[in-house]
Amino acid sequence: MKKLLAILLCLCVTALHAANWPAWRGPTNDGVCTEKDLPVTWNTTENVAWKVALPSAGNSTPIIWDKKVFITSSVERGRKRGVMCFDRTDGKLLWQKDITYAGNEPTHKDNPFCSATPITDGERVIAHHGSAGIVAYDMDGNLLWQRNDLGELNHIWGNATSPIFHDDLVIAYCGPGLNVFLIALDKKTGKDVWKLDLPQAKAKTPDQFYGSWSTPVIRDAGGKKELILGLPKQVVALDLATQKEIWTCSGLGPLVYTNPLISGDTIVVMSGYSGPALGVRAGGSGDVTATHRLWLVDQKKDLPQRVGSGVVVGDHIYILNDPGFAQCIEMKTGKEIWREKLGGTSWSSMCHADGKLYVIDMKGESFVLQPSTEFKLLSRNPLNELTRASLAFSNGQIFIRTYQHLWCIGAKK
């Protein structure tokens, strides 16, 4: 009987993961999902279930739960920041809720306000609106709680880090700039559970080329939960139960945009702005650079700008760099297996779904590749619209947020 219950529970979890895309990097926060029968080819007229016009540009990625699709959006130069909810069946706008912000938060022209992707657990949708704070709604758009007292985020390039769930907590990395910290809130009430200042990640001035836009990743270390975060100059592992630092590994550059990538006890973090990439073996305490760092690649000529995160498939990392070069990298050694030009500039994160790799460039052209130690391009799919978001997958469909539209690719449901 117990074995039968375990099988049923496993099937339920698999079905849940296949149906929903509840966060920026999907159901397991790593760009991997168990979706099947996804479309491989499409364009502006073929294999499009629907598209709906959007009121403003934005870089956040759609999230999906059951019949609802959510994105964040801002208008009036960030004075209004909100969450939009669409019916996944036909793209109809179900509700839109905005909060106001009267401050003067800086950002880059290519990074509109509300670039952080929201998260949902099926009961609430939570969005981090930068200096305007963190807000939670129920699935029908009713305000549950709002935190507008967390302080300003002050960096000339703005912010974009997405919150994550852990048990009953919402954990948010707040940065970059002069005010940098991790905060955990009760997801039901929004009240503080803990806060950890990160002085090593603070910039000296708002225009300093120094900071992290990385979203934390949680690692299960034999029952103990570790939070792994890429910061300027170093990777940090924290004990989630105590918020104490476990270990650090140095070697990163002053700018970090990508998420940490984890496979077993191997962790890889890549700097942005042509900075170094490193691999580290989890474990130890204190500064483990000399004892646990597996590799460091820091030859500037070989390191393009990286904004989107990679994905781990087997023993390899696949990533599309900012200049449009896709790479396959051996995870445990940092050795580059192949590098091929795909399209134009890209900030999109690579995803592994239905046994394939999916990614999109800024021109709105999506690429489907075979994860392999040999470069194998399966299709090119143009939409001809600017996008800096990543792709989202749910129930056999692909959701794409451009600066003009929200697209649903695949068969109508």
Side-chain angles (χ1 to χ4, degrees):
M1 184 65 177
K2 289 183 178 180
K3 184 176 181 181
L4 176 60
L5 289 174
I7 293 172
L8 290 173
L9 178 60
C10 182
L11 290 173
C12 288
V13 171
T14 300
L16 175 68
H17 284 181
N20 299 316
W21 189 268
W24 171 47
R25 299 239 63 200
T28 50
N29 292 310
D30 56 4
V32 176
C33 70
T34 58
E35 283 289 330
K36 300 294 183 183
D37 302 319
L38 289 167
V40 176
T41 59
W42 64 89
N43 56 39
T44 56
T45 59
E46 296 180 10
N47 228 351
V48 177
W50 51 261
K51 71 173 182 178
V52 60
L54 297 177
S56 62
N59 292 349
S60 66
T61 294
I63 61 169
I64 304 96
W65 193 279
D66 291 341
K67 297 296 185 180
K68 295 181 177 180
V69 183
F70 304 91
I71 63 168
T72 56
S73 180
S74 70
V75 295
E76 299 180 10
R77 297 184 179 181
R79 295 292 186 265
K80 288 187 177 180
R81 307 182 185 193
V83 174
M84 303 178 72
C85 176
F86 300 87
D87 188 327
R88 74 167 298 156
T89 304
D90 55 12
K92 178 183 177 181
L93 179 65
L94 299 177
W95 54 262
Q96 179 175 354
K97 299 294 180 178
D98 297 315
I99 61 174
T100 59
Y101 179 69
N104 187 26
E105 180 182 9
T107 196
H108 193 277
K109 63 180 178 61
D110 293 338
N111 187 33
F113 296 104
C114 297
S115 284
T117 298
I119 54 174
T120 183
D121 59 0
E123 296 182 12
R124 56 192 62 81
V125 56
I126 298 176
H128 188 189
H129 290 325
S131 295
I134 301 175
V135 62
Y137 303 97
D138 68 18
M139 302 300 277
D140 295 319
N142 299 304
L143 180 67
L144 297 176
W145 51 263
Q146 179 180 352
R147 292 295 304 272
N148 56 6
D149 59 344
L150 300 179
E152 294 183 352
L153 301 183
N154 192 356
H155 194 281
I156 57 170
W157 296 342
N159 55 83
T161 301
S162 301
I164 59 173
F165 283 125
H166 174 64
D167 295 334
D168 289 329
L169 301 179
V170 177
I171 300 176
Y173 168 77
C174 298
L178 308 179
N179 185 28
V180 183
F181 58 92
L182 280 165
I183 192 165
L185 307 177
D186 185 309
K187 72 177 183 179
K188 297 178 181 178
T189 66
K191 294 182 179 179
D192 287 12
V193 177
W194 54 260
K195 181 180 178 182
L196 179 65
D197 194 38
L198 297 171
Q200 73 272 43
K202 294 181 180 180
K204 295 179 180 178
T205 61
D207 60 350
Q208 184 184 9
F209 284 21
Y210 190 89
S212 174
W213 288 257
S214 181
T215 294
V217 176
I218 295 175
R219 175 178 178 268
D220 189 339
K224 183 172 71 174
K225 302 298 183 181
E226 297 178 350
L227 184 145
I228 311 296
L229 180 61
L231 294 175
K233 303 292 187 179
Q234 63 179 198
V235 188
V236 177
L238 304 172
D239 185 334
L240 265 180
T242 64
Q243 301 86 60
K244 300 294 185 182
E245 182 182 286
I246 303 172
W247 55 261
T248 65
C249 181
S250 299
L252 295 177
L255 297 165
V256 179
Y257 307 121
T258 67
N259 278 20
L261 301 174
I262 300 174
S263 179
D265 64 354
T266 302
I267 299 166
V268 172
V269 185
M270 301 178 179
S271 309
Y273 224 73
S274 301
L278 65 83
V280 57
R281 177 169 52 86
S285 61
D287 185 348
V288 301
T289 307
T291 57
H292 287 64
R293 194 172 73 189
L294 300 172
W295 53 267
L296 177 71
V297 178
D298 62 356
Q299 296 89 354
K300 192 174 180 65
K301 65 182 178 63
D302 291 328
L303 295 174
Q305 164 72 305
R306 306 183 187 94
V307 177
S309 298
V311 67
V312 179
V313 183
D315 297 326
H316 296 89
I317 295 167
Y318 300 89
I319 187 171
L320 181 60
N321 295 311
D322 179 297
F325 285 92
Q327 281 182 291
C328 173
I329 300 168
E330 193 171 65
M331 186 159 189
K332 290 192 174 182
T333 66
K335 178 184 177 182
E336 182 179 81
I337 305 301
W338 53 255
R339 180 189 302 205
E340 296 288 342
K341 181 70 171 177
L342 281 186
T345 302
S346 175
W347 285 8
S348 175
S349 294
M350 189 84 75
C351 294
H352 183 226
D354 199 11
K356 306 173 187 67
L357 301 170
Y358 287 81
V359 72
I360 191 169
D361 68 12
M362 285 191 192
K363 297 182 297 183
E365 185 170 26
S366 296
F367 305 92
V368 184
L369 299 90
Q370 188 70 39
S372 170
T373 52
E374 296 182 3
F375 176 72
K376 295 179 180 180
L377 178 63
L378 302 179
S379 67
R380 309 172 71 104
N381 307 291
L383 292 183
N384 304 315
E385 293 183 0
L386 173 63
T387 179
R388 294 187 173 94
S390 296
L391 305 177
F393 307 83
S394 172
N395 199 19
Q397 295 174 322
I398 303 172
F399 294 83
I400 304 174
R401 191 256 183 90
T402 71
Y403 273 31
Q404 295 172 258
H405 295 95
L406 176 63
W407 297 73
C408 178
I409 304 298
K412 291 184 179 180
K413 300 292 183 179

